[in-house]
Amino acid sequence: MNAPDRLPIPTIGSARVFDRRCEKRHDAAWVDARRSDSQSRFLLLVDLKVAIESSADRSRAALRWLSLDEVTALGADPTEFVLLGSDGEDRTYFAVGLAAASVDEAALKPLVDLRSLAIQGAIDPDDLAIAGAARSVLGWRDLHRCCGCCGGRTRARDAGWRRQCWACGQSYFPRSDPAVIMVVTDGERCLLGHEHRFVENLYSVLAGFVEPGEDIENAVRREIHEEVGVEIGAVTYLGSQPWPFPHSLMIGCWAEARTTELTIDRSELIDARWVTRAAAQRMLRGEHEEGIIVPGPHSIAHALIVSFAESGA
Ligand SMILES: [Zn+2]
């Protein structure tokens, strides 16, 4: 069976509503003017939890954008604001990261864990992409306050997208960690696994980080062999998704199995199994006879399972 050309449904990608204005990050006068512009809006993250507005039953949520007066009142340092971008009206948006110890959390609630919001699917994909970028850069900032070369303090540069050591001048940039996530198929079946950290009855495609010095295809082959002992032949790229926990880039692939016997690494997986196309379709519909569920919409894992379920149809 041939791999599809691309993922069949959209996943969380780059936000479509913002221009990132990366060409302006180096323009200190422009950044300064926008940071102090009363029309600008600010997304607050407290210990990387994001401020939202939600419906009474918490079934729908949207990002809560604060005004300049509101973030100023919180004592936020303007030099640490991270430029997120501008919209079609040329209003500019920033992310502001604060520590819980420095603010009155109760006044800012609800503050939510972005991963839970992403898994629930209770927020617009564009909002999730914006908050994901903010969380990634602020999380990186929190771990790079000091220089790895000399131990000196680092300062924000380029509207938060670079940090530079005041002592030795070394620069540090936000990073994305590549990870492969793959639907393994033997033609009529695909391989799903249940990890220790998953909620009960959740099965998903397998995933793992790309190691230094490794290409995508061989990362897929190594991960699958390590986790379930299956040999992989052809690997086809289908699409990608940023996953800001803390700063991964999920590279979605279709992988063709050359062997089917499973030798499960129990330190990684509680279970793994081959699943027929019909069974995968029942899991996606929430009608599987054992109550097995799969990751929710907008996730690349969901899109990869759909790509298998719809293939050969
Ligand atoms: Zn240094």
Side-chain angles (χ1 to χ4, degrees), residues 271-303:
D271 185 34
R273 59 175 75 179
W274 290 102
V275 170
T276 65
R277 184 168 290 104
Q281 289 164 350
R282 290 196 297 279
M283 290 175 191
L284 287 163
R285 291 196 303 266
E287 297 172 358
H288 191 261
E289 53 278 12
E290 293 174 55
I292 292 177
I293 54 172
V294 295
H298 307 319
S299 69
I300 193 167
H302 185 94

Side-chain angles (χ1 to χ4, degrees), residues 15 17 29 44 48 60 62 94 96 146 203 221 232 248 282 289:
V17 291
L44 183 67
L48 300 182
R60 295 301 306 162
F94 292 89
V96 179
C146 293
Y203 276 67
R221 294 188 182 108
I232 296 295
S248 300
R282 290 196 297 279
E289 53 278 12

